[in-house]
Amino acid sequence: MREEYTYVVLADDDEDDRLFFTDAFEELKMQTKVDVYKDGIELMNALNQSDSILPNILFLDLNMPMKSGLECLKEIKMNPRFKNLSIAIYSTSASEEDIEDTFVNGANIYIKKPNDFKILKKILADVVTMNWQYHTSGLNKDNFLLRL
Amino acid sequence: MLLKSLYNSERFLKIIFGLSLFIVLVMGGFAYKYVKELSESFDEVQDAYQLHIELEKLLSALKDAESGKRAYIISKDSTFLEPLLVSGSELDNSLKRLKDLTKDQPEHQENIAELELKIDNSLKIFEKTLQLAQNNEVESAEFISAFREGRQTMNSVRFKVLEMTTHENELLGSKKARSSRSLSNAPMFVYYILIISLLILLLTYLQISKNLKILKEKNELLETFKESTTQSEIISKHGNWIWHIEDNTFEYSDNLYRLLGEEPQSFEPTLENFIAFTHPDDLDKLMEQVNKMMENEDLPFIHYRIIQKNGTIKHFKAYGKVLIDSDGHKKLLGTTADITDEIVNYRLIEERNLELERNNKELASFNYVASHDLQEPLRKIQTFISRLEEKEQDNLSSNGKVYIQRIKSSSGRMRSLIDDLLQFSRTNKSEEAFEDSNLNILLETAKHDLAEIISDKRARISSDSIPSMKVIPFQIKQLFLNLMSNSLKYSRENVAPVITISYSQTDISDLPKVKFSKHNRYHTITVKDNGIGFDQEYAEQIFTLFSRLHNKNEYSGTGIGLSICKKIVENHQGYIIAESHLNQGATFTVYLPITS
């Protein structure tokens, strides 16, 4: 069953962004299953269920109440069960500190939320179809931030 | 060196003094010896002379007796016999004196004993002849033989006396020779010693006068030093004190009294009197330190407060160190400084620092608000517009479409404002360290970022080779980017922009408007274009934040780009100037210091 689609999960506290995200995948008509969680606690609870299906790509917003994206990232990287999880940071800001912190803590790619829906669709399509193994093996600070 | 230091030392004076004392003593000894010798030889001469006289007397008494006797015999006049009686007692006296004179000369004693015997003998014969003469037996053979014998005896006495005189003369002669030998050297010797003593005295005098001069100079120096210490005490608000450890007494400098708000030396310099000024809250702490000082004979830095009589509170800092003087007395030299001003200033600076920190935090949170919270709604507005354009284009009236375009351009402008503002506030020196960078690469990167607009406007950009220098790379790239985009933006209509970037070096003296700098030479990078330029009047104004020379409908822009340039250049301790005339293009010159 799992091989037929890409399972994509987003944790974002902003309702509009969750809507853009799901709408974009809907319009893309790709073989994807999308789940969204409204904060870090909800996300981690779901992932930590022993029978949970793990996503292929996890999109993490950074600025969330209760549990921030960075905290989720650290927790995930400490748990060996999630070691094959690809993590895309999905944030409004692209400040040096945020990029540095998430890179050091093992995120795979950093996406700055675009201000154009067309561009958003292009980014998500690129990320889902990305050769993660290739990307991760050659990952460095310069290609960590996704540029269009 | 050693000799010189010995010459100058106090020990040298002591040695000289000892030497002089010794020489004077020796001189005295010699003089005493000579005088003694002289008086002895005088005595000897006197004795010899006396001996002569006595012997002469003896002989003359005998002669008198003899001649008296002869006269009596011839004249039978008994008055001629009178000298006989006198000479008899004289003889006895002479003999007695002779014995006295020669009592420590055994050979003379013997001679005198012999002489006495002979005189006795002579007197006996004399008596006999006189007897015979009184009896008128002068013609008898007995008288004649006695007379002859008397004459013989008389001769032998005379001979003996001659012998004694001769002997005494010889003795005197030899003694004279001996003493004159030793005495002839004496005046010369005394003279030499006198000269040497005088020389030593002179040397000592010179040395002492030299030492006195040095002492005087040192004293003057000390006086100056004392004066300057007093002055510096007043200026730097500190006072000195001495604790004589052995007799537990204190000395306070004048200024220490002034620090306490009192007249100099207006009270006994005792520990109790000083402690009386201490702030009650600091009393225990100070007493503890003072007790420790008494125990350990040392005082580390301590800080306490005092209250002057007029109620003013002052902060004091004290420090002390033990000194052992040349006499071996131990004293603790202490310094007490009034640090009230320092403390007040320090508190002021601390407050200012806190304020600055608060401001910095506010600025940082503003940055965050700008980067995140302000961008988020804007991003959504733009995203929704893009969705409207994409999905609802056909449902909008022509007016609606225009409104959408207006909203779109306004939100786009707001985005660039936010981005530029962020860029400006992030342009801080501390953010990234300086590193050796190839500026040609940084320029190429900036050109690459502008590739689209360069090709759109058919711009030509030429550049010199720029040497590597120590810079903050991303900021210099930003500088190139902003300057070039500025030139591209303000190009003349229908004229392809030409941008020339050149490199040279400039001496500080040739730098306009720079009066003082710690660097002597500057890298000079000029960016020259053929754009619309600006009135030279605005050459400085264009670098201020949000300043724009054109309506935003004519040229897009936020008025932040050149401010960022200025900030970047200033971060690199450099200068940026702009030169232009309307419609004649603009030249921006960046000066960056050449560091060794």
Side-chain angles (χ1 to χ4, degrees):
Chain A
M1 289 284 279
R2 277 211 55 182
E3 275 67 39
E4 292 168 20
Y5 59 87
T6 309
Y7 181 32
V8 177
V9 165
L10 167 74
D12 197 327
D13 63 319
D14 191 296
E15 203 187 337
D16 293 333
D17 279 330
R18 290 201 298 272
L19 184 69
F20 292 150
F21 193 83
T22 48
D23 283 0
F25 274 112
E26 247 170 59
E27 288 185 20
L28 278 172
K29 313 229 184 298
M30 295 168 82
Q31 287 294 316
T32 48
K33 179 181 184 302
V34 181
D35 273 336
V36 292
Y37 296 98
K38 66 178 197 299
D39 60 50
I41 289 177
E42 211 176 80
L43 169 79
M44 290 317 292
N45 283 344
L47 286 179
N48 282 328
Q49 299 277 314
S50 55
D51 58 343
S52 67
I53 299 168
L54 295 180
N56 300 91
I57 307 165
L58 171 65
F59 287 81
L60 268 178
D61 181 25
L62 284 181
N63 189 27
M64 290 188 285
M66 320 285 268
K67 192 175 270 185
S68 75
L70 188 65
E71 282 171 288
C72 294
L73 174 67
K74 285 177 184 166
E75 252 180 68
I76 289 165
K77 283 293 159 187
M78 276 198 301
N79 190 337
R81 195 178 147 227
F82 306 130
K83 69 173 190 293
N84 290 323
L85 209 60
S86 295
I87 296 171
I89 302 299
Y90 184 63
S91 173
T92 309
S93 89
S95 77
E96 291 285 333
E97 289 146 81
D98 286 345
I99 293 172
E100 176 89 26
D101 281 351
T102 51
F103 176 72
V104 167
N105 280 292
N108 301 86
I109 196 159
Y110 196 106
I111 299 161
K112 187 173 185 286
K113 289 176 183 172
N115 46 23
D116 190 305
F117 194 67
K118 273 187 274 186
I119 295 171
L120 175 65
K121 283 198 287 187
K122 188 182 181 309
I123 287 172
L124 293 180
D126 283 357
V127 169
V128 168
T129 55
M130 187 181 263
N131 182 337
W132 283 100
Q133 221 162 11
Y134 174 76
H135 173 78
T136 309
S137 68
L139 189 65
N140 60 47
K141 252 173 91 175
D142 289 329
N143 62 19
F144 175 59
L145 178 67
L146 182 72
R147 289 177 213 273
L148 292 163
Chain B
M1 222 32 230
L2 190 75
L3 249 161
K4 197 173 165 146
S5 73
L6 185 71
Y7 180 69
N8 285 326
S9 74
E10 198 184 334
R11 216 170 126 194
F12 173 76
L13 277 180
K14 279 183 184 163
I15 289 170
I16 288 289
F17 182 72
L19 206 65
S20 320
L21 207 69
F22 176 73
I23 287 170
V24 168
L25 277 177
V26 167
M27 270 172 64
F30 272 110
Y32 175 75
K33 188 175 157 248
Y34 288 143
V35 169
K36 197 164 178 251
E37 267 175 20
L38 213 62
S39 95
E40 268 172 9
S41 63
F42 178 76
D43 281 352
E44 272 165 13
V45 171
Q46 188 83 3
D47 284 356
Y49 184 64
Q50 201 73 31
L51 201 72
H52 262 287
I53 291 173
E54 286 308 324
L55 285 172
E56 282 300 322
K57 271 188 189 167
L58 198 77
L59 213 56
S60 97
L62 272 177
K63 275 180 192 164
D64 282 355
E66 183 70 23
S67 64
K69 184 186 82 177
R70 282 186 192 171
Y72 171 75
I73 292 169
I74 295 165
S75 65
K76 294 287 190 266
D77 186 354
S78 66
T79 53
F80 283 113
L81 285 177
E82 266 168 38
L84 273 176
L85 297 169
V86 182
S87 58
S89 67
E90 248 177 37
L91 274 173
D92 278 348
N93 281 341
S94 279
L95 274 172
K96 209 174 155 208
R97 276 201 293 276
L98 276 173
K99 273 182 197 163
D100 269 355
L101 277 170
T102 58
K103 62 174 175 275
D104 19 308
Q105 285 162 295
E107 41 181 325
H108 274 307
Q109 288 275 0
E110 266 174 41
N111 283 338
I112 286 164
E114 215 177 304
L115 197 65
E116 199 177 7
L117 214 69
K118 282 190 168 133
I119 289 169
D120 266 359
N121 206 10
S122 161
L123 283 177
K124 270 182 201 144
I125 293 165
F126 195 82
E127 288 283 328
K128 200 175 160 185
T129 49
L130 199 62
Q131 204 71 47
L132 290 170
Q134 276 170 344
N135 296 343
N136 288 325
E137 290 173 32
V138 278
E139 303 293 323
S140 71
E142 200 184 5
F143 177 82
I144 290 168
S145 80
F147 199 86
R148 277 192 190 140
E149 203 182 342
R151 221 190 115 148
Q152 255 170 10
T153 322
M154 190 66 193
N155 277 345
S156 81
V157 167
R158 198 176 278 166
F159 185 73
K160 193 71 206 173
V161 167
L162 191 72
E163 193 189 338
M164 274 177 77
T165 315
T166 315
H167 178 70
E168 187 60 28
N169 275 348
E170 275 172 11
L171 218 64
L172 204 65
S174 75
K175 268 185 195 164
K176 194 181 159 195
R178 207 172 52 235
S179 72
S180 79
R181 249 203 320 281
S182 68
L183 277 175
S184 72
N185 289 331
M188 212 53 189
F189 187 74
V190 168
Y191 183 71
Y192 283 146
I193 284 182
L194 200 72
I195 295 282
I196 290 169
S197 301
L198 274 174
L199 274 178
I200 290 171
L201 207 68
L202 194 71
L203 206 67
T204 318
Y205 169 75
L206 283 177
Q207 180 59 23
I208 287 176
S209 75
K210 192 175 146 202
N211 283 358
L212 269 176
K213 206 176 146 203
I214 291 170
L215 206 68
K216 204 180 142 202
E217 277 167 12
K218 290 256 161 83
N219 257 334
E220 268 166 24
L221 223 83
L222 213 64
E223 198 60 39
T224 316
F225 181 72
K226 196 184 148 199
E227 200 50 48
S228 70
T229 306
T230 311
Q231 208 171 310
S232 77
E233 272 188 355
I234 293 169
I235 295 293
S236 68
K237 291 192 179 179
H238 75 266
N240 290 308
W241 46 272
I242 302 167
W243 172 38
H244 299 280
I245 294 174
E246 274 138 27
D247 40 6
N248 196 24
T249 55
F250 283 83
E251 257 179 68
Y252 296 161
S253 77
D254 287 355
N255 207 45
L256 193 63
Y257 287 90
R258 290 191 198 103
L259 293 186
L260 293 168
E262 301 294 315
E263 286 294 312
Q265 313 297 337
S266 56
F267 60 82
E268 277 280 305
T270 63
L271 191 61
E272 292 72 31
N273 284 343
F274 187 83
I275 296 256
F277 286 90
T278 315
H279 193 289
D281 293 352
D282 291 349
L283 193 59
D284 289 348
K285 189 176 80 180
L286 182 68
M287 281 317 292
E288 193 188 315
Q289 291 290 351
V290 167
N291 289 335
K292 267 193 198 162
M293 174 184 93
M294 301 264 179
E295 257 176 56
N296 307 331
E297 295 175 352
D298 184 35
L299 183 68
F301 274 110
I302 56 166
H303 168 233
Y304 56 93
R305 286 165 296 171
I306 59 112
I307 304 176
Q308 294 183 343
K309 285 215 177 104
N310 61 15
T312 317
I313 295 177
K314 296 271 179 190
H315 292 264
F316 278 14
K317 187 166 80 173
Y319 174 74
K321 210 173 160 107
V322 169
L323 181 97
I324 297 171
D325 67 18
S326 54
D327 296 333
H329 295 301
K330 272 202 276 187
K331 44 189 166 186
L332 192 124
L333 297 185
T335 304
T336 298
D338 181 347
I339 52 163
T340 314
D341 292 349
E342 266 172 62
I343 297 245
V344 168
N345 286 341
Y346 179 75
R347 288 206 178 133
L348 211 70
I349 289 170
E350 231 177 19
E351 270 171 35
R352 294 252 165 89
N353 270 347
L354 276 176
E355 204 178 313
L356 267 174
E357 249 170 58
R358 265 201 307 277
N359 286 349
N360 265 345
K361 268 187 194 156
E362 271 170 28
L363 213 64
S365 69
F366 166 77
N367 277 349
Y368 192 78
V369 166
S371 70
H372 194 269
D373 297 6
L374 268 179
Q375 280 190 62
E376 201 158 74
L378 181 64
R379 178 174 51 76
K380 283 185 198 158
I381 290 169
Q382 287 184 307
T383 311
F384 277 119
I385 292 167
S386 71
R387 297 197 74 182
L388 264 179
E389 267 190 317
E390 198 188 329
K391 275 185 151 178
E392 311 293 330
Q393 188 80 354
D394 301 338
N395 304 333
L396 283 169
S397 67
S398 58
N399 267 344
K401 281 175 195 162
V402 171
Y403 298 155
I404 291 282
Q405 279 313 307
R406 286 286 162 88
I407 295 171
K408 202 177 158 186
S409 83
S410 276
S411 58
R413 188 170 157 69
M414 187 162 177
R415 169 152 302 275
S416 40
L417 265 170
I418 290 174
D419 284 348
D420 284 358
L421 255 184
L422 256 178
Q423 186 70 51
F424 180 76
S425 67
R426 276 183 191 157
T427 312
N428 284 326
K429 205 160 41 174
S430 54
E431 258 182 56
E432 202 126 336
F434 285 74
E435 46 188 86
D436 270 319
S437 318
N438 184 335
L439 268 69
N440 301 303
I441 291 176
L442 295 175
L443 177 62
E444 283 309 313
T445 320
K447 265 170 41 183
H448 183 75
D449 285 3
L450 295 166
E452 205 174 325
I453 181 165
I454 289 172
S455 73
D456 281 356
K457 294 207 165 193
R458 297 169 193 282
R460 277 181 293 132
I461 300 176
S462 63
S463 56
D464 285 355
S465 168
I466 306 171
S468 290
M469 49 187 98
K470 222 176 165 76
V471 295
I472 305 170
F474 86 92
Q475 290 195 359
I476 295 298
K477 184 212 126 185
Q478 187 72 41
L479 174 73
F480 285 137
L481 189 91
N482 287 10
L483 287 177
M484 285 191 294
S485 82
N486 200 63
S487 292
L488 293 169
K489 191 183 290 171
Y490 300 105
S491 60
R492 272 182 285 176
E493 234 175 311
N494 303 320
V495 177
V498 176
I499 302 172
T500 315
I501 298 164
S502 50
Y503 172 83
S504 62
Q505 292 191 353
T506 311
D507 260 346
I508 172 79
S509 53
D510 298 330
L511 229 68
K513 287 182 196 169
V514 177
K515 289 198 180 69
F516 174 78
S517 167
K518 59 179 178 178
H519 304 287
N520 291 325
R521 280 182 77 72
Y522 282 79
H523 296 292
T524 309
I525 301 164
T526 51
V527 179
K528 190 174 181 327
D529 64 44
N530 60 343
I532 58 168
F534 52 87
D535 197 322
Q536 185 63 28
E537 190 182 332
Y538 303 110
E540 284 184 37
Q541 197 190 314
I542 53 170
F543 290 109
T544 53
L545 203 56
F546 298 120
S547 100
R548 294 168 48 78
L549 300 179
H550 305 276
N551 192 297
K552 58 176 174 283
N553 297 330
E554 293 172 88
Y555 293 96
S556 67
T558 54
I560 302 173
L562 287 178
S563 310
I564 293 175
C565 289
K566 191 175 161 89
K567 203 167 163 189
I568 288 171
V569 172
E570 280 169 0
N571 283 348
H572 289 77
Q573 297 180 323
Y575 305 91
I576 183 168
I577 55 166
E579 284 168 293
S580 180
H581 292 289
L582 218 50
N583 294 318
Q584 287 177 16
T587 306
F588 288 86
T589 311
V590 174
Y591 299 96
L592 297 177
I594 298 179
T595 49
S596 48

